[in-house]
C-alpha cells in the first residue's frame, strides 16, 4: 500500500492536533485527577491553612488554593468567606490578566511593542518617547509612588484608585512627570498598567472595547465568572479590579503553562509568552529585598540574574507568577506541569512565596523519572 505524501505544514498541524487530543483540557469544568494525600499534603495545609485569625488578621490567611497538574484538578481547599463559586478580588493579578488580553490583540496585529503609547492613547501625548513595551516592563519613567498603607498621603496609587484620580485613572497617571529615561528604570506602577488599559481601547476601537476581554480571553478559555470594574471614564481598571473564581483563574495559568495554546488554538502568540517570561533587561535586584520576583512583561519571574539568587530558591527557575496585594497569586510551573491559584487576605507579611511553593512542590509535583 503506498504511503500518502503529507506536506510539511499538514504534518505540523496534524502533530499539534494529536498533541492537543492527548492532553487534558477543561470543558465546562475541570476534570479531576488523583488527589494527593499523606504527610506532605498535611504539611502544606498546616502552612497554607493554619487556624484562621479573623479578629486580628494576623498570620497566613489563605482564602482558596486550587492546584492543577497536567490539566487536571487535583486539589482545592477554601476558607473564610470564599467558596468554589466565589469571584475573588485578584488585586494586581489583574495586571497579568491585562497582559494576556493584550497578547490576543498583539496576535491580531493591532500593535507592536516598540510603538509609542500616545499612538493608541492620545492622553499620553506629553510623553512621546514612552513605548508600549516600557509600560509592560513597569519602566515608563513616570515619577510614580506605589506605596499603600505605609505612605498613603504620598501614594500615587491610593490617589488614583480612591481619591482625585479615580474618575479617569489613565489620565491621572499620564499627568505625572517623568523622572527617569523611559525603558531604563524599573519602578512598579499601577499607573503604567492603567495607561495600557486605556491604550487597548485605541487598539481595538470604542465599539469593541467593552466586550474585548471576554471575546479575546475569557470566553475562549471557558471563563464564566469574570468581573472587571471600570473607572468613570469607562476604562478597565487593569491594575487592580478583576474578580474570578479560583478555578477560572487557573484556566489562565494553564494557558500560560502551555505557551499560550488552548486546545488546538494558539490563543497567545508564542513570542508574546516569551516576552512575558523574559526578564526586563535593565532590572537590578535590590539586595535589601530578597525574595522579590523579577519583572518580565507584566508577569513575575523566578529568574536567577547575575549576582543574585533565585527569588524563590526552592522552586524551579522556570516558575513565574501573577501576584497581587494581600497574597493573591497565580503560580505557573511549566517543568512540573503545575498551576497553583492562591487567594488570600494576608495583612502582616507572614506569608512567603518560597515557603508556600516548597511545600506545594513536595505535596503536588509529579514524580520525575530518575
Amino acid at each position: 500500500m503506498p504511503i500518502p505524501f503529507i506536506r510539511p505544514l499538514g504534518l505540523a498541524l496534524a502533530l499539534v492536533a494529536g498533541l492537543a487530543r492527548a492532553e487534558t483540557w477543561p470543558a465546562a469544568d475541570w476534570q479531576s485527577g488523583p488527589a494527593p494525600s499523606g504527610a506532605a499534603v498535611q504539611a502544606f495545609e498546616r502552612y497554607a491553612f493554619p487556624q484562621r485569625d479573623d479578629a486580628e488578621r494576623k498570620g497566613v490567611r489563605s482564602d482558596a488554593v486550587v492546584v492543577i497538574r497536567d490539566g487536571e484538578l487535583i486539589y482545592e481547599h477554601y476558607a473564610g468567606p470564599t467558596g468554589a463559586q466565589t469571584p475573588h478580588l485578584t488585586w494586581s493579578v489583574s495586571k497579568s490578566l491585562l497582559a494576556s488580553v493584550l497578547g490576543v490583540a498583539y496576535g491580531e496585529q493591532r500593535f507592536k511593542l516598540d510603538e509609542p503609547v500616545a499612538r493608541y492613547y492620545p492622553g499620553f501625548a506629553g510623553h512621546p518617547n514612552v513605548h508600549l513595551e516600557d509600560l509592560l516592563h513597569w519602566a515608563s519613567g513616570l515619577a510614580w509612588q506605589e506605596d499603600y498603607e505605609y505612605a498613603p498621603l504620598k501614594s500615587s496609587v491610593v490617589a488614583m484608585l480612591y481619591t482625585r484620580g479615580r474618575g479617569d485613572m489613565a489620565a491621572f497617571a499620564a499627568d505625572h512627570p517623568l523622572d527617569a529615561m523611559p525603558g531604563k528604570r524599573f519602578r512598579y506602577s499601577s499607573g503604567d498598567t492603567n495607561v495600557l488599559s486605556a491604550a487597548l481601547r485605541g487598539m481595538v476601537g470604542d465599539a469593541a472595547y467593552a466586550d474585548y476581554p471576554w471575546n479575546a480571553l475569557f470566553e475562549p478559555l471557558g471563563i464564566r465568572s469574570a468581573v472587571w470594574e471600570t473607572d468613570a471614564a469607562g476604562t478597565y481598571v487593569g491594575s487592580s479590579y478583576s474578580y474570578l473564581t479560583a478555578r477560572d483563574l487557573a484556566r489562565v495559568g494553564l494557558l500560560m503553562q502551555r505557551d499560550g495554546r488552548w486546545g488546538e488554538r494558539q490563543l497567545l502568540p508564542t513570542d508574546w509568552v516569551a516576552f512575558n517570561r523574559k526578564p526586563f533587561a535593565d532590572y537590578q535586584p535590590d539586595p535589601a529585598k530578597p525574595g522579590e520576583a523579577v519583572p518580565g512583561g507584566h508577569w513575575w519571574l523566578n529568574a536567577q540574574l547575575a549576582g543574585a539568587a533565585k527569588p524563590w530558591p526552592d522552586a524551579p527557575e522556570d516558575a513565574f507568577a501573577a501576584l497581587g496585594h494581600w497574597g493573591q497569586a497565580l503560580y505557573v510551573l511549566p517543568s512540573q506541569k503545575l498551576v497553583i491559584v492562591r487567594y488570600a487576605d494576608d495583612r502582616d507579611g507572614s506569608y512567603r512565596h518560597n515557603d508556600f511553593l516548597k511545600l506545594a512542590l513536595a505535596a503536588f509535583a509529579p514524580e520525575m523519572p530518575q
Side-chain angles (χ1 to χ4, degrees):
M1 179 179 178
I3 299 175
F5 173 72
I6 302 177
R7 295 183 182 276
L9 177 60
L11 177 59
L13 292 173
L15 289 172
V16 170
L19 177 62
R21 283 193 295 270
E23 293 170 326
T24 301
W25 297 90
D29 207 344
W30 290 94
Q31 180 175 316
S32 295
S37 60
V41 175
Q42 294 169 8
F44 171 79
E45 290 186 334
R46 284 194 297 272
Y47 180 81
F49 294 98
Q51 184 173 351
R52 189 179 179 95
D53 179 358
D54 284 328
E56 300 293 331
R57 292 183 171 181
K58 292 182 178 179
V60 174
R61 290 162 39 83
S62 302
D63 290 336
V65 173
V66 164
V67 181
I68 307 299
R69 186 172 67 198
D70 205 9
E72 295 181 331
L73 174 67
I74 63 166
Y75 178 89
E76 64 180 337
H77 191 122
Y78 298 93
T82 303
Q85 303 304 316
T86 306
H88 196 288
L89 177 59
T90 70
W91 286 110
S92 288
V93 170
S94 303
K95 294 176 170 70
S96 300
L97 294 179
L98 180 64
S100 295
V101 173
L102 285 164
V104 177
Y106 175 82
E108 295 169 345
Q109 300 184 340
R110 295 180 183 269
F111 72 94
K112 296 179 181 178
L113 286 168
D114 60 358
E115 290 183 300
V117 176
R119 179 169 297 174
Y120 299 101
Y121 176 49
F124 218 64
H127 305 301
N129 296 320
V130 180
H131 298 88
L132 292 164
E133 64 183 329
D134 300 332
L135 296 182
L136 283 157
H137 285 139
W138 296 294
S140 64
L142 293 177
W144 186 266
Q145 174 56 256
E146 187 72 15
D147 285 336
Y148 283 85
E149 291 89 346
Y150 305 108
L153 297 180
K154 298 180 180 179
S155 172
S156 302
V157 69
V158 169
M160 179 183 68
L161 293 177
Y162 303 115
T163 61
R164 63 186 185 276
R166 65 179 182 171
D168 189 335
M169 298 187 190
F172 174 79
D175 196 44
H176 283 63
L178 297 181
D179 66 353
M181 184 179 296
K184 294 299 181 182
R185 180 199 65 193
F186 167 76
R187 177 176 287 176
Y188 181 65
S189 167
S190 292
D192 284 7
T193 305
N194 287 330
V195 172
L196 279 170
S197 189
L200 176 65
R201 188 201 305 266
M203 296 169 189
V204 304
D206 287 337
Y209 181 73
D211 294 327
Y212 192 77
W214 281 262
N215 292 336
L217 184 69
F218 298 142
E219 290 180 3
L221 299 189
I223 290 173
R224 295 179 174 84
S225 66
V227 175
W228 210 329
E229 294 185 33
T230 66
D231 63 15
T235 302
Y236 286 109
V237 186
S239 65
S240 312
Y241 289 158
S242 65
Y243 304 73
L244 293 88
T245 65
R247 287 187 175 197
D248 273 353
L249 183 58
R251 292 172 183 257
V252 180
L254 185 63
L255 174 73
M256 294 297 291
Q257 187 236 301
R258 292 179 174 171
D259 292 323
R261 183 170 50 84
W262 194 257
E264 297 182 17
R265 180 181 177 186
Q266 190 68 44
L267 188 63
L268 303 180
T270 55
D271 63 325
W272 180 262
V273 178
F275 168 76
N276 296 150
R277 296 182 58 188
K278 182 178 180 180
F280 171 45
D282 288 291
Y283 175 69
Q284 298 294 325
D286 185 348
K289 297 180 179 179
E292 290 282 317
V294 175
H298 253 52
W299 285 78
W300 297 100
L301 316 178
N302 193 35
Q304 184 167 3
L305 303 182
K310 288 187 301 181
W312 311 322
D314 291 300
E317 190 170 356
D318 67 349
F320 61 104
L323 302 175
H325 196 45
W326 288 340
Q328 321 318 314
L330 167 60
Y331 301 106
V332 183
L333 297 92
S335 59
Q336 305 292 328
K337 298 185 177 181
L338 284 175
V339 172
I340 305 173
V341 174
R342 179 182 187 257
Y343 286 147
D345 188 24
D346 300 327
R347 301 298 181 103
D348 67 357
S350 297
Y351 178 77
R352 294 288 182 269
H353 296 291
N354 187 68
D355 293 344
F356 178 89
L357 289 170
K358 179 180 180 179
L359 291 164
L361 284 164
F364 306 121
E367 293 185 6
M368 306 302 289
Q370 300 296 318

